[in-house]
Structures are given as C-alpha cells and as structure tokens.
Amino acid sequence: MRSALCTWMARRLLPLGEGLGLVPETPPVPLRQVVRRFWPDVRPYRLQLLLGLACLAAVPAVQAAEIWLFGALVDEVLVPRDWGPLPLVVALFVGLAVLSGALSFFDDYLATAVGQRMLLRLRCRLFAHLCRLTGDVLDRRRLGDLLARLGGDIAAIETLMVAGTAQLVSSVVRLGLFTALLFVLDWQLAAVALVVAPAFYVAARAFARLLRRASRAKRRASGELLAVAEEALSNAVLLQVNDRADAEVARYRSQADAALRAELSAARVRALFGPVIDLFQLAGVLLVIALGAHALIQGRLSLGELLAFLTLLSQLYAPVRDLGELSGMVFAAGAGAERVLEMLDTPPAVTEPPDGVTISPRGVVDLDSVCVRYADAARPALVDVSARLEPGELVVLTGPSGAGKTTLVKLLLRLLDPGSGAVRLDGWDLRDLTLSTVRAATAVLPQDAAVLNASIADNVRFGRSSATDVEVRQALADAGAIGFVDALPAGVDTVVGEKGRLLSGGQRQRLALARALVRDPRVLVLDEPTTGLDEPSARLLLGSMRGLVPGRTVLVVSHDPLVVAAADRVLVLDEGRLTEGPRRAYAPAAASSAVTA
C-alpha cells in the first residue's frame, strides 16, 4: 500500500519537478555501495562515533522525561493549585536540563570530531590518488572540477556517513520512544495520530526524489563554475593578449546562471516541501485535539496527560520528516560519491611493485623491443624500439612531431609502462624496481619548466628537500643560474611569484635545471633545452653541457641542428620506429663552464 502511494505521488510530483527546472537523472550510487566504499575512512573513529551516537540516543529519553514531568506539573501543581510539589518538580527540571546539555555537548563535539577527521582522511586519500595519476590522465579533467570533487562532493559523503547516521539513530529512537509513550498515555488516540504518519513519510520521500535531482545538478554546475574560473585566471595573460576578457566573463556568467538555476530549483522544491508537510502535521494535530477533548470530557485523560500527549505528538512528526529528508541526504551523497569514486576508480598508469628492489644504479639504460599503443590511438606510439644508453655520453633524440619522443621519455621516467618489451636500468626491469629508486635515479628538465610560488632555494629543494645551502648554491652554479640569483635583492631567498612570473623564461629554465641537478640523477633528460635561445646562448649551453655528462646518462630531446651536431649519438624516431645515427667524438673545444638555458 505504501509503495503504491509513493509511486502515485512520484508520478504527480516528477512532472512538477521538471517544471521547476529539474531534468531526469540516472540513478545515483546506491547507499550500500557508498557505505561499503567509504566505511574504511570512518572505521578508525568508530568508538568515538558509537559514544556520540549513545549520547544522541539518550537525548530523546531526557526530552521524554521532561514532557512527562510537564504533564505531572499540570496535574499535580497547576490544576489543584498545590505548590507543595513545585520545588521537587523545579529541581527535576533543572537536573534534566543539565543532563540534556551535557549529552548535547558530547554529542556535538564527538560528531564534529569524527566528521572532520573522516573528511580530512578522505580528502587526503583522494588527493594522494590524484597525485599518483599521470599527467595525461589529469589533463583530460578540468582542474576546477577536480577541486570541486575534493571540496563539496567529499563533504556530502561525510555528511551522510556521520551526520546522516546520527540523524537516522536519533529519528529511530525518537519514533520508538515517543510512539511507545503515546500508547501508554492513550492507545486509542495514539492509533488515530499514527494514521497521518505514513502519508507524512510518503510525501517526504517523494519530495526527496526531486531534491536528489537538484543536488546532482548543483554539484555538476558548481564544479563547472569553478573549472571556468580556474581556467581563466590561470591563463590571464593569454586571455588579455587575445582580448578575450569579455568573452570569458560571459562564459563565467553563463555557467554561474546554470548554477543559479540549479540552486533555485532546489530552493523551490524545499519551499514547497515545507507547507505540504505542515498540512499533514496540522491535520494530525487537529484530529488528535478533537478526540483528546472528547477523552478529557469523558475523564479518560487528565489535562496534563492531554497536554503531554500533544507535546509528544508534535515531537513525533519531526523525526518522521527527518527520515523522509534523510533520503535527500542519501541522494546528495550518492551524487558526490559518484564523482569521487570516478576518480578513485581511475587506475594510475604505473603502480608500485609488491616486492620492489632498491639499487644504486650507474645509469645504464636499455630499451629492449619496446612497444607502446594507447587505447584510443589509430597506430602504435612505439614499435619494437631497442637502444642502449650509457653514462658518459650525450645522446640526442630527434624526429618529427608525433613520432613518439614524449612516449619514450615517459618510459624512461616510468610514467608509463610498455605494452611489450622492457625498459631496464643497470639490467633491472623498471617494473621490478621501487618507484622511489626509479625517480631518484632519473630527472627531467621539461620544455615548459614549472616553477613554484616560493623562494629560489625552496624551488631547488623541491628536487631534494634535504639539500644543504652549499648543495643548493652548487646546483645553481652548475645550472648557470648563480649569477642572476645573486643579483636578486634577496638572493636565494627571493620569492619568484606564481609560476615564476618574476623571472624571465630563460631564468625559469635554469632554475628548473638546478632543481633537477640537486638530485644528482644518474639519468638526465633535457627536453628542447635551446628553445627560445639565440645562437650564441645556445652554443654556450652546448659547450657547458659536457659538464653534465661525466658519470651520467644524458638524453637531449631536440630538433635544434646545433644540438644534433654536438651529440655523441643521435637517435631518430619516425612513426614510432627508432634508427640510430653514427657515433661521433664530442668536440671539447666547444666546452664552456657556464650553462645557459
């Protein structure tokens, strides 16, 4: 019967939801799956949670005692006008108020402590997973949307797991206790009062389905709005030089309008929900008042008992409403969980081997019949690539765009694993070594050098946090950066600004090179190091590059003829296939002590 009534109301209300601006959605992640996937984040705090729930469950008992005591006050003091029992009643009221306050304090504190710790744990878990995903995976996501998942979506999950559990326990205890007391006072009135409860609950459930749609629309719109803002502000110069400010403002306003419509849709549903539920509650209370007055006239109830009954009844409808609204909380958490789980279930391209080996490598790199093919690619990125790179030689990797150079560099850094074949370091397959061993042995200077909003020294120490001041200055000197650094007002303590905007392009590149060199890697990869340099600066860089070669395997990805001409060996990639140019002796006359990048 209840299911049929719920279905009938849903059919009547869902068209209304579409008129309110909501569109049908696919079912969210089921509650069971949400609890199963995120319970590990609550488990460490289960004792505090249970203690808080115990305090929460005790609060309705105290409230019931206060209501019962109120009825006794009316019957024993007010009606007979006997002030004798008043001091005892007042003392009991004060005692119950103190007890209720203490229980509420511990309940609120424990719920907040558990909720915030669970929130911290879950956010750190998602953030750690995102940090392990490779750039090509993250590049398919908008940064603002990822930040929204770390924020509001995880908060919705925490609200369900902690606040939702507390609301469920409180509502069930209140319903059970208050219903039992109603039947103790007068079972006939109680039976009449509860007739309204099923309709009350069904209406709440039907409105909750509309709130689910609004919650999912709000979360998606909020994520898109944050993504638009992040994208525009992080590319402010590009936006300004192309005179796109007005267009971006219009795009932001359009997305903000979508978020506003979603918020207003939810507000309309909530605003309609309140009056409808109040009508059910008023109908129940008026019916009980009429029958209660008849029972009072017949002498079946005293005035105090009738007032206590009405007070208990008013308290009874609140948990029924809360249970109906709880489904809306479940839907909101399901919408958030759907987005969080989408990221948590995205596997990293590489994983830590279960029995990883730690070595101190020399830097001998072997590519053994390596093949790579991306899932959405029409042809393989690398086909049967074999080569050997040894310490003490300068190897240049060249070839047309799209030939597979970036893929080969990712293999060397183990940002990607080959589909077949193997990449070996000193004879060890990279997949058998710990990730920390591979990352400690390799370093890369990307073409677009990333610089942090921190001091020069902190940027260098990002490569190795334990580097001393002497090692930081040595790395800057080896990178040819010590000259411009000492000329800065605060030297190595100068903060370079967001993305290094206070430095020139060449200075940022030299700073990034120092960050790579401070790690003292055995394998050093330089990606287009002469890009943007004039010919004299490029020749100085090529002369000083020999200083990086002894004891290291140096691979330079470049199209620059000067770099190719200076190489000990040249590897040419074309359509994923590797050919090797002739070996040649490096010209020592070109050497120079300064590195200019």
Side-chain angles (χ1 to χ4, degrees):
M1 177 66 182
R2 183 176 64 85
S3 176
L5 182 57
C6 186
T7 301
W8 180 87
M9 292 196 66
R11 289 174 178 173
R12 295 300 183 272
L13 288 171
L14 288 180
L16 173 62
E18 295 170 2
L20 293 174
L22 307 180
V23 295
E25 296 278 358
T26 56
V29 176
L31 174 61
R32 181 180 300 177
Q33 184 177 351
V34 174
V35 174
R36 178 176 59 83
R37 292 294 299 271
F38 297 107
W39 172 247
D41 298 289
V42 184
R43 185 185 295 120
Y45 319 111
R46 58 186 181 277
L47 293 180
Q48 298 97 311
L49 180 61
L50 289 174
L51 182 58
L53 292 177
C55 294
L56 184 65
V59 170
V62 175
Q63 292 176 339
E66 289 175 335
I67 294 172
W68 198 278
L69 187 60
F70 172 71
L73 174 66
V74 172
D75 288 338
E76 302 299 329
V77 177
L78 299 182
V79 172
R81 300 182 181 181
D82 181 4
W83 305 108
L86 184 60
L88 177 60
V89 173
V90 171
L92 290 174
F93 266 121
V94 172
L96 290 173
V98 172
L99 179 59
S100 178
L103 291 172
S104 297
F105 169 80
F106 285 109
D107 163 49
D108 290 343
Y109 178 79
L110 290 171
T112 301
V114 172
Q116 291 303 308
R117 286 177 178 141
M118 183 250 183
L119 194 64
L120 173 64
R121 183 184 178 94
L122 182 52
R123 277 185 174 148
C124 289
R125 179 156 73 98
L126 178 59
F127 183 75
H129 182 75
L130 292 175
C131 287
R132 293 186 179 95
L133 296 178
T134 52
D136 54 339
V137 175
L138 294 177
D139 288 344
R140 292 196 291 267
R141 308 282 180 177
R142 302 177 76 177
L143 179 57
D145 185 61
L146 293 178
L147 295 177
R149 298 179 195 229
L150 275 169
D153 291 332
I154 286 182
I157 298 170
E158 180 273 331
T159 299
L160 171 68
M161 298 294 292
V162 179
T165 301
Q167 184 172 319
L168 176 64
V169 170
S170 176
S171 298
V172 170
V173 171
R174 286 172 182 271
L175 276 175
L177 181 60
F178 291 168
T179 299
L181 290 177
L182 288 179
F183 276 94
V184 169
L185 286 172
D186 191 298
W187 69 268
Q188 296 177 4
L189 272 182
V192 172
L194 294 180
V195 168
V196 183
F200 193 89
Y201 174 75
V202 169
R205 283 290 304 273
F207 274 99
R209 294 183 65 181
L210 299 178
L211 287 174
R212 178 200 70 183
R213 295 181 177 182
S215 297
R216 299 184 79 185
K218 282 170 53 181
R219 300 215 173 279
R220 290 180 177 177
S222 298
E224 287 296 317
L225 182 63
L226 190 57
V228 169
E230 184 278 331
E231 188 177 71
L233 295 178
S234 62
N235 296 283
V237 174
L238 179 66
L239 180 151
Q240 292 164 7
V241 299
N242 288 280
D243 195 23
R244 294 284 301 174
D246 291 340
E248 287 301 302
V249 170
R251 188 161 72 105
Y252 183 83
R253 177 177 291 278
S254 174
Q255 193 57 52
D257 285 340
L260 174 63
R261 289 193 298 272
E263 183 65 45
L264 291 178
S265 295
R268 285 192 290 268
V269 173
R270 287 193 300 269
L272 185 60
F273 173 72
V276 171
I277 296 303
D278 288 342
L279 284 176
F280 282 104
Q281 183 172 344
L282 179 62
V285 170
L286 291 177
L287 183 60
V288 169
I289 289 177
L291 296 177
H294 180 68
L296 181 64
I297 294 172
Q298 288 184 331
R300 199 172 73 240
L301 278 178
S302 67
L303 179 60
E305 290 172 335
L306 178 58
L307 293 175
F309 190 99
L310 291 173
T311 305
L312 287 170
L313 182 62
S314 66
Q315 296 292 319
L316 180 66
Y317 286 135
V320 175
R321 176 186 296 193
D322 290 343
L323 285 176
E325 293 177 345
L326 185 62
S327 59
M329 188 183 298
V330 171
F331 292 139
E338 182 179 39
R339 289 160 50 80
V340 172
L341 290 175
E342 182 184 2
M343 297 311 305
L344 287 176
D345 292 339
T346 301
V350 297
T351 56
E352 187 78 52
D355 299 312
V357 178
T358 300
I359 63 171
S360 298
R362 292 178 51 244
V364 179
V365 176
D366 287 294
L367 300 169
D368 185 5
S369 301
V370 171
C371 295
V372 174
R373 182 167 192 152
Y374 295 106
D376 54 351
R379 60 178 179 83
L382 294 177
V383 181
D384 197 27
V385 171
S386 295
R388 184 178 179 89
L389 311 178
E390 297 184 357
E393 64 175 353
L394 182 65
V395 180
V396 170
L397 176 65
T398 189
S401 297
K405 300 187 298 298
T406 300
T407 299
L408 193 147
V409 169
K410 288 181 179 179
L411 291 173
L412 296 180
L413 301 172
R414 208 186 168 217
L415 298 176
L416 180 70
D417 285 334
S420 63
V423 181
R424 294 188 173 88
L425 180 63
D426 286 9
W428 289 90
D429 192 320
L430 295 187
R431 290 168 291 195
D432 295 330
L433 300 176
T434 63
L435 285 175
S436 60
T437 296
V438 176
R439 303 290 157 74
T442 57
V444 62
L445 174 64
Q447 181 177 354
D448 185 13
V451 177
L452 307 175
N453 184 15
S455 68
I456 297 283
D458 287 340
N459 267 281
V460 175
R461 286 196 178 95
F462 194 81
R464 181 163 61 89
S465 59
S466 61
T468 64
D469 292 343
V470 174
E471 291 172 327
V472 168
R473 291 190 63 83
Q474 184 60 51
L476 289 168
D478 292 341
I482 197 65
F484 84 79
V485 169
D486 285 341
L488 294 173
V492 295
D493 295 322
T494 301
V495 177
V496 298
E498 187 72 26
K499 297 185 178 181
R501 64 182 57 172
L502 300 183
L503 303 178
S504 68
Q507 290 171 338
R508 286 196 297 269
Q509 194 171 17
R510 290 195 289 274
L511 179 56
L513 178 59
R515 182 173 59 212
L517 294 178
V518 79
R519 301 173 59 194
D520 191 23
R522 298 299 89 199
V523 180
L524 179 62
V525 179
L526 307 176
D527 187 3
E528 299 287 0
T530 60
T531 298
L533 299 182
D534 56 25
E535 185 173 335
S537 298
R539 289 187 180 276
L540 286 174
L541 172 61
L542 294 175
S544 62
M545 200 175 291
R546 176 53 68 183
L548 304 177
V549 172
R552 290 191 180 94
T553 299
V554 180
L555 177 68
V556 183
V557 180
S558 179
H559 295 89
D560 191 338
L562 290 174
V563 178
V564 174
D568 294 330
R569 275 196 297 152
V570 178
L571 301 178
V572 181
L573 266 176
D574 190 10
E575 294 186 352
R577 299 184 183 275
L578 184 67
T579 59
E580 185 171 347
R583 290 178 179 269
R584 62 179 301 279
Y586 185 85
S592 173
S593 60
V595 174
T596 304

